[in-house]
Amino acid sequence: MFFISEASPLFFILSIVWLIIDLIIKAFTNTYNTNIFLLALYGFFLNVIIGAMYQLIPNSLMKKPALPKLSFGVFGISILNGFIMLLWYFGLLGNIYFSISNAVLIISFILHISSALKTPNSVTSRFLTASLVFLVLNALELLFFAFNKINVFFLIHTFTIGFLLNAVMGVELALVPLLYMEPLNMGLANKLFWIHQISAIILIASFYTLNLNIIYVAGVLEFMVIGFFSYLIYKSVENRKFPKNIPYTLRYFFLGLGFLFIGVSFGLLVATGKLEAFLHGDVMIYGFGFATVFGGISHFMPRIVWNKQYADKVGQQNIPPIDAMINQNVIKRVLPIIGFGVFLLISFESYTYLKPVGDILYAIVVSYGLYGLIRK
């Protein structure tokens, strides 16, 4: 491994802790409160992707960031940002504090990781670079959001469609062929990159207008892009010879992809007035988000920890395998529970007395997953 990001595991753990906090708060929050989703975006998703990019960007571009220890400073800013977000959520601070705090975290990360950037030389690095561009745009939007100059859905979808989906596509287009030892169709992958950027811009812009007809058409286009992405993933594993058993990281990715299709379909139904928006958010964050993120962390975290502790001891006796760095039994057990947990969460969402049950049960599932990451 060219570069080991020592701060990445801390960001991974913090992200899961944030998802647990978010679910516990959600259990006692009004179903229509969109602020709970903002906590998930800037607590859960932002931290995990910062951690992943600190590991992925230097290794994909073969260029280390300047002063790598500064990543711990960014982690410290993220901790402080978390306290500010909680104070904002409970009404003790206004939107301007939430917005400026997150913008400072994003800009701090961008300034540091930019020292590891150079002209993208692979599909993965292109997607990750595009993801960073949308993150910069999101930081600027936060400043407008602070003064109520843009609507919250425009802010959310710049983050999810632009920043988050670009990062997910970049990571999965790298890991799926790698773990199956099969080539990726680079021509189609490059076309996917440009098509997704166009589709993402159209969909994000549609939320600025809040015209439901435009949002629906743009959503259908993005649904087709996700279908193209799924086709690429399928073609890369179609004729696999090894391994015969699907690695658990990929099982989580494939489960997340299933949730992604359901979530976008729910979004289209929301645009036609046939479904409540919170159900779309539930599937995208707690289904697609958690399954994909947990699969990614279960791949990256043991490799980072092993390389840090044992890479220079290769050849000596009693060196544990990479898989021993996390509890693989827990990783295997959590996978089938996620689908059932999300089903309960969305089924109970509209019932006052059952809603806390679904949220707390899912928080327990996420907590069990966290236990598997930190206890061997």
Side-chain angles (χ1 to χ4, degrees):
M1 192 176 289
F2 171 73
F3 175 74
I4 300 172
S5 171
E6 297 179 21
S8 288
L10 297 177
F11 280 105
F12 294 157
I13 292 171
L14 180 61
S15 71
I16 300 298
V17 169
W18 256 112
L19 185 59
I20 296 168
I21 293 171
D22 177 81
L23 284 163
I24 293 172
I25 296 174
K26 181 178 180 295
F28 307 99
T29 297
N30 184 288
T31 297
Y32 296 94
N33 187 343
T34 56
N35 286 347
I36 197 69
F37 295 133
L38 290 178
L39 281 186
L41 295 188
Y42 293 98
F44 171 51
F45 282 123
L46 182 57
N47 277 297
V48 75
I49 297 180
I50 286 176
M53 285 191 172
Y54 265 131
Q55 183 61 38
L56 280 171
I57 288 178
N59 283 292
S60 63
L61 294 176
M62 301 299 287
K63 183 182 179 184
K64 296 180 180 180
L67 302 173
K69 297 293 184 182
L70 280 180
S71 57
F72 291 102
V74 176
F75 179 75
I77 295 172
S78 182
I79 294 289
L80 178 60
N81 178 58
F83 284 112
I84 292 173
M85 284 201 295
L86 288 175
L87 292 174
W88 163 79
Y89 182 83
F90 290 108
L92 300 176
L93 294 175
N95 278 355
I96 190 169
Y97 293 94
F98 168 85
S99 298
I100 291 177
S101 177
N102 276 287
V104 168
L105 171 59
I106 290 170
I107 292 168
S108 299
F109 166 65
I110 293 291
L111 288 175
H112 188 215
I113 199 64
S114 63
S115 63
L117 292 176
K118 61 181 182 180
T119 304
N121 56 5
S122 67
V123 171
T124 292
S125 58
R126 289 191 187 98
F127 273 105
L128 295 180
T129 302
S131 178
L132 290 176
V133 171
F134 279 103
L135 184 60
V136 171
L137 291 175
N138 193 245
L140 296 174
E141 289 173 1
L142 279 166
L143 301 179
F144 286 95
F145 177 71
F147 298 100
N148 298 315
K149 299 298 183 182
I150 60 171
N151 67 75
V152 69
F153 301 106
F154 180 60
L155 180 76
I156 287 173
H157 288 85
T158 301
F159 188 102
T160 55
I161 303 299
F163 169 57
L164 178 62
L165 262 187
N166 266 308
V168 168
M169 287 182 176
V171 170
E172 294 195 5
L173 287 174
L175 283 187
V176 175
L178 175 66
L179 292 176
Y180 271 128
M181 302 178 70
E182 294 289 341
L184 178 68
N185 188 320
M186 297 306 297
L188 291 180
N190 282 315
K191 289 176 181 171
L192 171 67
F193 171 77
W194 291 110
I195 292 172
H196 175 64
Q197 307 319 310
I198 295 170
S199 174
I201 291 170
I202 294 172
L203 183 54
I204 292 166
S206 73
F207 279 98
Y208 183 80
T209 68
L210 284 183
N211 183 305
L212 293 180
N213 291 327
I214 298 175
I215 290 173
Y216 180 82
V217 173
V220 170
L221 177 61
E222 184 62 23
F223 187 89
M224 295 170 63
V225 172
I226 294 169
F228 185 20
F229 168 65
S230 303
Y231 171 78
L232 263 180
I233 295 293
Y234 169 74
K235 294 302 289 185
S236 69
V237 303
E238 180 183 20
N239 299 314
R240 71 182 188 276
K241 299 180 180 62
F242 176 85
K244 292 183 179 180
N245 295 323
I246 302 175
Y248 270 85
T249 291
L250 299 192
R251 296 186 192 195
Y252 278 101
F253 283 172
F254 297 155
L255 176 62
L257 197 54
F259 277 125
L260 180 58
F261 275 109
I262 295 171
V264 175
S265 298
F266 277 13
L268 295 176
L269 291 174
V270 172
T272 59
K274 297 178 180 178
L275 198 72
E276 295 285 0
F278 62 81
L279 294 175
H280 165 64
D282 284 349
V283 174
M284 293 298 287
I285 292 173
Y286 308 111
F288 161 67
F290 178 59
T292 303
V293 162
F294 196 69
I297 292 176
S298 69
H299 174 82
F300 289 116
M301 192 158 171
R303 283 158 178 79
I304 293 171
V305 173
W306 189 91
N307 274 276
K308 177 61 179 174
Q309 295 182 1
Y310 300 106
D312 58 350
K313 300 177 183 177
V314 173
Q316 300 179 18
Q317 293 183 345
N318 300 322
I319 294 180
I322 291 175
D323 286 348
M325 297 297 100
I326 59 176
N327 192 320
Q328 294 295 331
N329 289 327
V330 173
I331 304 302
K332 294 175 182 177
R333 290 175 191 143
V334 168
L335 179 67
I337 303 174
I338 292 178
F340 182 65
V342 172
F343 173 76
L344 287 182
L345 188 146
I346 62 176
S347 297
F348 291 173
E349 190 74 74
S350 299
Y351 300 94
T352 303
Y353 298 105
L354 289 178
K355 180 181 180 297
V357 176
D359 294 335
I360 295 298
L361 286 176
Y362 202 64
I364 292 172
V365 173
V366 176
S367 300
Y368 185 52
L370 176 62
Y371 169 83
L373 294 175
I374 62 179
R375 291 297 299 270
K376 302 176 187 179

